[in-house]
Amino acid sequence: MGGRDLSIGFDLGGTQVRAALVDAGQVVKRAAARTDVAGGAEGVMRQFCALASEVCTQSQFADVRAVGVSAPGPLDTETGIVDHIPTLPGWEEFPLRDRLAEIFERPATVENDGIAAAFGEWKHGAGTGLDHLVYVTVSTGIGGGVVVDGRLMHGRRGMGAHVGHFRIAPEGPVCSCGAIGCFEAFAAGTALGKRAKKAASDNPSGYLGRLAVAGVVETRHAVEGARARDAECVALIEEEADLLGVGFTGLIHLFSPQRIIMGGGVSQAFDLLTEGIHRRIKRDAMAPFKNVEVVLAELGDNCGLVGAASLALSVARTDA
């Protein structure tokens, strides 16, 4: 084998599967394909092989020490077995880690996508050098990962840090998990999109109402409208910032991080959200926590790939 320590990270999603060759936290090359949902787990294994060939030459593969996959849950990262993935039928009880190790003849790890992204930001992004952080991805849902005392928090069966699923109100919208009033149900991009649609319906002559005539109003339209200084959209973004601030304050009290790192699709509007988020934290957090900063993730949509690859390499080194 060669001299470099390379690793391959995979990201499994309901819409897309991605792969990246990673060298010391840097993406050398990445590739993606539409998820073969109909092919089930073994169909995706074939996609992983094809994507690995795209991002990695044979000579580079000689230097690949480990492979890792970032996947939605619930999944048991202690055994590497998928419990089930709501967006991907046919994965129940699939031994993902063992199949990856068998296919690539390398040590393999399986990690929850939020925890993998947290590891990526901790080791190679906005959390570098910290011992305590919370990473929160705000997108279709809300997920994340936590580092406490210089260690990645996993919890029982590796299912810790479901940061979108603590309740921030006794009543409210129904969450994707089935409960009422979760942080995710109030503040995910999907929730903001629903509020934007309602605003469009309530005010047909407004910015969003006029867009609704031409097509479906989405979360991004509220952001675009706020950037254009439309008062209705500005109010929606201010509400979103405040709700995020409520959830982040709860996470600060729970985990006492040095920093909260925000990623995900909604983080593209971070410049519009940051003031309102920090206003709520300063208002509601207990005195020792009022100055905890919320920052933008640095790795963007590579954080899960970098995290999965880096975590796999870290585990392989530890086990060597």
Side-chain angles (χ1 to χ4, degrees):
M1 283 193 171
R4 288 193 298 168
D5 281 355
L6 303 177
S7 53
I8 298 175
F10 297 103
D11 182 64
L12 170 61
T15 304
Q16 198 177 58
V17 287
R18 301 185 300 150
L21 180 65
V22 176
D23 182 2
Q26 299 295 312
V27 172
V28 178
K29 188 175 181 181
R30 52 179 271 182
R34 190 166 188 82
T35 307
D36 180 11
V37 177
E42 289 298 341
V44 170
M45 293 302 102
R46 289 190 289 273
Q47 288 188 294
F48 282 165
C49 288
L51 290 171
S53 296
E54 284 189 50
V55 302
C56 187
T57 65
Q58 277 193 316
S59 61
Q60 286 172 323
F61 189 68
D63 291 333
V64 170
R65 308 299 186 200
V67 298
V69 62
S70 157
L75 50 85
D76 187 332
T77 57
E78 291 180 3
T79 63
I81 296 173
V82 175
D83 182 7
H84 76 280
I85 301 174
T87 54
L88 293 171
W91 281 73
E92 289 74 14
E93 302 305 315
F94 183 75
L96 180 54
R97 184 180 65 201
D98 289 349
R99 285 292 287 129
L100 281 172
E102 179 185 350
I103 289 167
F104 290 100
E105 300 179 334
R106 300 286 191 281
T109 59
V110 172
E111 189 56 85
N112 171 275
D113 48 11
I115 297 177
F119 190 83
E121 285 291 336
W122 177 35
K123 293 299 183 181
H124 302 289
T128 304
L130 301 183
D131 288 326
H132 317 279
L133 67 86
V134 176
Y135 170 82
V136 184
T137 178
V138 185
S139 192
T140 304
I142 290 181
V146 177
V147 174
V148 178
D149 299 333
R151 296 183 65 180
L152 192 62
M153 194 192 86
H154 278 100
R156 187 179 71 90
R157 299 179 66 198
M159 293 184 182
H162 277 74
V163 298
H165 297 290
F166 71 99
R167 296 175 74 177
I168 64 172
E171 302 296 334
V174 178
C175 186
S176 63
C177 72
I180 293 172
C182 289
F183 180 28
E184 174 177 302
F186 276 101
T190 306
L192 174 56
K194 287 178 180 176
R195 291 193 294 275
K197 287 182 179 72
K198 186 177 186 304
S201 176
D202 291 347
N203 183 15
S205 63
Y207 176 89
L208 295 173
R210 295 192 302 274
L211 284 176
V213 175
V216 178
V217 169
E218 299 176 346
T219 307
R220 63 184 176 87
H221 295 125
V223 176
E224 291 165 4
R227 294 199 187 283
R229 303 289 192 271
D230 173 74
E232 190 173 57
C233 293
V234 167
L236 284 168
I237 296 303
E238 287 179 347
E239 181 183 22
E240 175 69 9
D242 191 58
L243 289 165
L244 288 170
V246 170
F248 290 168
T249 300
L251 294 172
I252 288 168
H253 286 151
L254 282 169
F255 297 111
S256 188
Q258 294 160 281
R259 183 177 297 161
I260 286 184
I261 301 169
M262 179 178 167
V266 175
S267 71
Q268 293 174 21
F270 186 78
D271 59 313
L272 302 176
L273 296 164
T274 179
E275 184 179 344
I277 289 170
H278 286 96
R279 186 187 307 120
R280 172 60 77 168
I281 293 171
K282 284 182 169 59
R283 200 194 88 173
D284 287 358
M286 290 166 29
F289 302 114
K290 289 186 183 296
N291 291 322
V292 174
E293 189 180 17
V294 180
V295 304
L296 184 64
E298 290 182 3
L299 301 181
D301 67 351
N302 281 333
C303 58
L305 289 167
V306 171
S310 300
L311 188 61
L313 188 59
S314 174
V315 171
R317 284 171 173 163
T318 302
D319 292 345

